[in-house]
Amino acid sequence: MTGSATARRMWQALEVLHMTVYFAPEPRDAFRRAGLRGGWMGYFASRSAAMGPVPAEVVAATFYNFHPRMVHRAIPDAWGFATPAEVLAARYQGADAALGRLLGGWADGPEAAEAAALARRATEGRDPAGRPLFAAHATLPWPDRPHLALWHAATLYREFRGDGHVACLLAAGVDGCEANVLAAGAGKAPGAFLREYRGWSEEDWAAAAARLGSRGWLEGDGLLSEAGRTARAALEQRTDDLAMVPWRHLGEEGCARLLDLLDRPTRLVVEAGGEPFPNPVGLPAPSA
């Protein structure tokens, strides 16, 4: 298996499951019970807790596309309210509760167990070199319950792919704000939404747009030029190429079976309103 289309299809399926931890109410409630204050503190602390009580600079560097001042509002204060171990426990409790509600009986059924086993085979033991968020999450123990083990595998792949995407952006000379402007220019989400969601000011956004315009990537109306579409497509293609490692390990037959198994739970999450479309990561809703 050498094509990278499988990597994108796996991301589109597994990300639906992973993102429930950001949009479902159960994780927010779990973070609040753990002592964290506000949704963004829960987000930054829970996603970075696997790295330990790291400073805001580490979180901003690895998350990449948030304005650093937004991270500084939550980190390191979060570690004074809850330890990383307590935050991680809340994260898994919230994911467990959210997926249990969204998936219903599927969560503990035989298809969930089979999907979790296949996803684990793909993601466990992959080389973490150059992938800091994946490396941190890969040290965490595997949950016993099938739906939560599947969510853990989805998280591992999410960070494996994301770390590779950051490397591609860096190699292309695209900074965090510019990455958001490119996504908006490609129509993945409204620009004002992405700008505010990731903490960039109007001045930051205009400066990033000007830089991309000087490269010939952005038109005056904020949409990508032909050169910009080509450049962004190359970035996405390279990201998918780098994300193929787990799926080559799993093999063609295993990948086909896993994609088939993931169809039902992803639809259950979407139908139950588990996450919004459009969304900040540009994840499309599953096709009918």
Side-chain angles (χ1 to χ4, degrees):
M1 180 182 299
T2 57
S4 59
T6 296
R8 179 145 301 245
R9 291 184 64 197
M10 288 293 187
W11 170 70
Q12 290 173 342
L14 290 169
E15 187 74 353
V16 170
L17 302 179
H18 169 79
M19 286 206 308
T20 55
V21 79
Y22 307 131
F23 297 109
E26 292 89 348
R28 291 195 297 271
D29 292 342
F31 298 145
R32 185 176 62 253
R33 290 194 299 270
L36 299 181
R37 301 184 178 182
W40 282 115
M41 182 176 282
Y43 169 76
F44 287 119
S46 68
R47 192 176 163 211
S48 65
M51 297 189 288
V54 294
E57 290 78 6
V58 173
V59 179
T62 51
F63 287 27
Y64 197 71
N65 58 10
F66 287 89
H67 195 293
R69 67 172 166 257
M70 190 173 177
V71 181
H72 277 272
R73 293 190 189 113
I75 305 293
D77 287 356
W79 312 133
F81 298 124
T83 66
E86 290 168 339
V87 173
L88 284 169
R91 191 182 208 217
Y92 280 81
Q93 289 164 8
D96 186 12
L99 288 171
R101 171 178 60 84
L102 293 165
L103 299 179
W106 191 92
D108 290 310
E111 290 190 347
E114 185 182 358
L118 288 168
R120 179 171 181 169
R121 190 191 312 165
T123 55
E124 189 174 33
R126 303 289 72 78
D127 186 358
R131 302 180 191 266
L133 281 168
F134 169 75
H137 286 86
T139 67
L140 301 178
W142 282 85
D144 292 327
R145 297 190 68 186
H147 68 283
L148 203 53
L150 179 59
W151 180 84
H152 180 66
T155 300
L156 290 181
Y157 181 55
R158 187 309 161 117
E159 302 301 3
F160 186 94
R161 184 183 185 278
D163 288 335
H165 186 58
V166 169
C168 292
L169 292 170
L170 282 168
V174 176
D175 65 30
C177 189
E178 290 168 359
N180 286 290
V181 175
L182 283 176
K188 297 301 179 181
F193 167 70
L194 284 179
R195 180 182 64 75
E196 294 175 6
Y197 191 87
R198 300 236 163 91
W200 301 98
S201 69
E202 292 183 2
E203 292 76 16
D204 295 327
W205 193 270
R211 291 192 298 272
L212 292 171
S214 71
R215 299 175 72 170
W217 289 9
L218 204 66
E219 303 284 7
D221 58 2
L223 297 178
L224 297 185
S225 64
E226 182 177 351
R229 289 192 294 273
T230 299
R232 190 174 187 278
L235 282 167
E236 294 297 314
Q237 181 64 56
R238 185 56 178 150
T239 296
D240 290 341
D241 290 343
L242 292 176
M244 270 300 295
V245 176
W247 313 120
R248 291 195 185 98
H249 180 80
L250 185 59
E252 188 170 353
E253 183 177 342
C255 287
R257 177 57 179 161
L258 179 55
L259 284 169
D260 183 58
L261 288 166
L262 291 173
D263 182 71
R264 178 63 177 156
T266 56
R267 292 183 185 280
L268 286 171
V269 169
V270 172
E271 290 166 4
E275 54 213 35
F277 296 94
N279 48 70
V281 301
L283 181 72
S287 57

